[in-house]
Amino acid sequence: MKDSAGPVREQEDNVSNNNDYQSCTDQTYLNEKIVIPETGRAGFSFRKLWMFTGPGFLMSIAYLDPGNIESDLQSGAAARFKLLWVLLLSTFLGLLLQRLAARLGVVTGLHLAEVCHIYYPKYPRCILWAMIEIAIIGSDMQEVIGTAIAINLLSNQRIPVWGGVIITIVDTIGFLFLDKYGLRKLEAFFAVLIAIMAITFGYEYVVVKPNQGQVVKGLFYPYCAGCGRTELLQAVGIVGAIIMPHNIYLHSALVKSRHIDRSKPSEVKEANMYYLIECSIALFVSLLINIFVIAVFGAAFYQKSNMDVYNVCARSGSPYLHVLPKDNNTLEVDIFKGGVVLGCYFGSLALYIWAVGILAAGQSSTMTGTYSGQFVMEGFLNLSWTRFKRVTLTRSLAIIPTLLVAVFQDMSSLSNMNDILNVLQSILGNDV
């Protein structure tokens, strides 16, 4: 005879687990909630939109981390503007995923990891947690690489890359104290970093002056004439850099920072609307910044040979000639070499502005990665760690292999590591 109590028992277990997590609905990453003011009238309100603004921009940092920037510049140098449509579609797909994540957090009061803990059996849940942790550590490694390279460029190589890697340990611990000043101030700080990226990479775009018609065509014409294995790898890298699995968990948790009365369907519906608008604006800004980078390197360095670049750098008196190969192979760029060749072609100011943008990308993604790890660990394992313990673990796992490569290998090895990590993010994004 079929056991009819099985489904009932399973439902009771889910209810019990849900009750265990009920207290989590009143917690957020700063244990602070923003109260949404009543405007006294129905319909759209810019004042309410302003109060809901914040989580989407913190989430969008993952679309602008050093791994994204390197993927952008490499796709531009390899395929010019032909892969811009891949970036556009990936960002649109990311918007759909982020919208679902935000709706989950708003409607249930739980973030995605907490929901997985309630409804998944133990072993699948642990496997999923392990995959997300690998993605977070991989992203953390990219942030370490980007920050270290930016420090190396800004110091005119006085600080070696391995020294920059060590500095990231200190600055990460320092950033952990920023949230002591309040939620809105923290969100404003991230907005400033995004603005720095927009200004710096926008400056490069204005200086290089890519063909606007070709840029628009690349965005809306989904075809890649004459493309081969190299372009395909770059397309996969773009998708992997944009669709980061842990970012979905992050966004579903960030939206809990606004006070919403879930007993009132009208408030839930309103919150979903404003979060969608805010998320769309944030991802549009990130899309523009990514377009700037692809267009700059597509216009300036597409089909350039190493010897072409070396000759220009030699005439400009660049101090980085020793890192540039002297052969007729097609130019291959990374975050470091990208700044070097920009300085050769468009002046040293372009190099320093590029480095500032990379530094902002690395530093901003550091904090969001820390929050992602904390939410994932607390949700999947029902284990609460302080942010200090959490960042010590993940940053150690990220820094040790990166530091070894920086000390015993050259800059190209760090670039190859970044490429591998982008592909890893793409694989994990599809699986998770």
Side-chain angles (χ1 to χ4, degrees):
M1 182 176 177
K2 188 175 181 179
D3 183 10
S4 60
V8 175
R9 189 178 299 111
E10 182 179 354
Q11 184 178 8
E12 290 175 350
D13 290 342
N14 286 340
V15 171
S16 175
N17 286 331
N18 199 12
N19 289 335
D20 292 340
Y21 269 111
Q22 197 61 41
S23 61
C24 294
T25 62
D26 293 327
Q27 297 176 3
T28 180
Y29 51 111
L30 293 179
N31 293 321
E32 174 187 355
K33 287 205 173 187
I34 304 299
V35 177
I36 307 300
E38 292 294 335
T39 59
R41 59 184 178 84
F44 179 81
S45 167
F46 280 104
R47 185 184 178 192
K48 283 190 175 182
L49 177 62
W50 173 249
M51 298 308 294
F52 276 105
T53 298
F57 282 90
L58 265 70
M59 168 276 300
S60 70
I61 294 294
Y63 292 72
L64 298 169
D65 69 4
N68 281 80
I69 302 303
E70 177 149 299
S71 175
D72 291 340
L73 65 90
Q74 289 176 344
S75 65
R80 206 178 188 192
F81 313 130
K82 298 175 184 178
L83 297 179
L84 281 171
W85 62 272
V86 177
L87 171 67
L88 178 62
L89 291 180
S90 298
T91 305
F92 180 72
L93 178 59
L95 174 62
L96 296 179
L97 295 174
Q98 302 301 159
R99 177 176 180 269
L100 293 174
R103 288 173 67 89
L104 176 70
V106 169
V107 173
T108 66
L110 303 171
H111 60 70
L112 182 55
E114 292 168 342
V115 173
C116 290
H117 185 278
I118 293 172
Y119 291 101
Y120 281 9
K122 178 180 178 180
Y123 293 110
R125 186 174 71 237
C126 290
I127 293 173
L128 188 58
W129 167 75
M131 294 174 66
I132 296 297
E133 287 291 353
I134 292 172
I136 292 173
I137 293 171
S139 178
D140 211 29
M141 291 176 67
Q142 292 179 314
E143 295 154 14
V144 172
I145 293 171
T147 302
I149 290 175
I151 293 172
N152 179 263
L153 288 172
L154 288 172
S155 66
N156 287 323
Q157 294 189 301
R158 292 185 180 89
I159 300 177
V161 175
W162 61 264
V165 171
I166 295 175
I167 289 174
T168 60
I169 303 174
V170 179
D171 64 37
T172 301
I173 296 174
F175 278 130
L176 290 178
F177 294 99
L178 286 176
D179 57 18
K180 303 299 181 183
Y181 295 97
L183 178 57
R184 294 298 277 177
K185 291 184 176 64
L186 179 66
E187 292 173 346
F189 173 74
F190 279 104
V192 170
L193 291 177
I194 293 174
I196 290 174
M197 284 184 272
I199 293 171
T200 53
F201 298 136
Y203 169 85
E204 309 286 359
Y205 186 88
V206 171
V207 169
V208 175
K209 299 176 182 178
N211 186 302
Q212 305 300 315
Q214 292 297 317
V215 171
V216 173
K217 179 182 177 182
L219 278 170
F220 298 104
Y221 184 55
Y223 186 69
C224 192
C227 292
R229 177 179 178 274
T230 301
E231 291 78 11
L232 176 61
L233 290 176
Q234 293 302 327
V236 173
I238 290 175
V239 176
I242 291 291
I243 308 298
M244 290 192 172
H246 61 278
N247 205 38
I248 302 171
Y249 292 84
L250 173 68
H251 198 197
S252 65
L254 293 178
V255 297
K256 294 167 59 179
S257 60
R258 268 58 179 175
H259 180 74
I260 301 167
D261 187 351
R262 292 178 180 83
S263 64
K264 298 179 180 178
S266 59
E267 286 199 20
V268 173
K269 182 178 180 180
E270 180 183 68
N272 283 326
M273 178 190 72
Y274 283 113
Y275 276 133
L276 175 60
I277 295 172
E278 186 240 3
C279 179
S280 300
I281 295 172
L283 291 189
F284 178 72
V285 172
S286 72
L287 175 64
L288 285 181
I289 295 173
N290 285 314
I291 289 173
F292 288 159
V293 178
I294 292 179
V296 163
F297 283 85
F301 306 114
Y302 177 61
Q303 291 185 334
K304 288 285 196 303
S305 70
N306 289 324
M307 186 57 71
D308 293 335
V309 173
Y310 183 89
N311 291 334
V312 172
C313 289
R315 288 194 295 269
S316 67
S318 172
Y320 297 95
L321 285 177
H322 61 284
V323 302
L324 300 174
K326 293 190 292 183
D327 55 49
N328 289 317
N329 294 329
T330 303
L331 174 68
E332 294 183 359
V333 288
D334 49 44
I335 291 178
F336 176 76
K337 196 182 294 182
V340 171
V341 295
L342 282 173
C344 294
Y345 277 77
F346 304 104
S348 58
L349 182 61
L351 184 152
Y352 292 120
I353 289 178
W354 170 261
V356 170
I358 297 300
L359 184 63
Q363 298 294 355
S364 58
S365 53
T366 292
M367 280 294 287
T368 55
T370 301
Y371 284 128
S372 297
Q374 185 176 1
F375 296 142
V376 166
M377 178 174 286
E378 291 177 354
F380 275 106
L381 305 182
N382 198 16
L383 176 65
S384 296
W385 277 18
T386 63
R387 274 191 285 277
F388 181 81
K389 290 182 179 179
R390 170 70 209 180
V391 76
T392 300
L393 173 63
T394 57
R395 181 72 25 146
S396 297
L397 293 174
I399 282 179
I400 291 173
T402 308
L403 184 61
L404 291 175
V405 173
V407 171
F408 297 107
Q409 300 294 324
D410 55 14
M411 195 71 70
S412 62
S413 299
L414 284 176
S415 176
N416 292 335
M417 181 184 291
N418 241 345
D419 295 339
I420 294 171
L421 291 171
N422 274 338
V423 175
L424 176 65
Q425 297 284 1
S426 180
I427 295 171
L428 290 174
N430 290 331
D431 290 343
V432 175

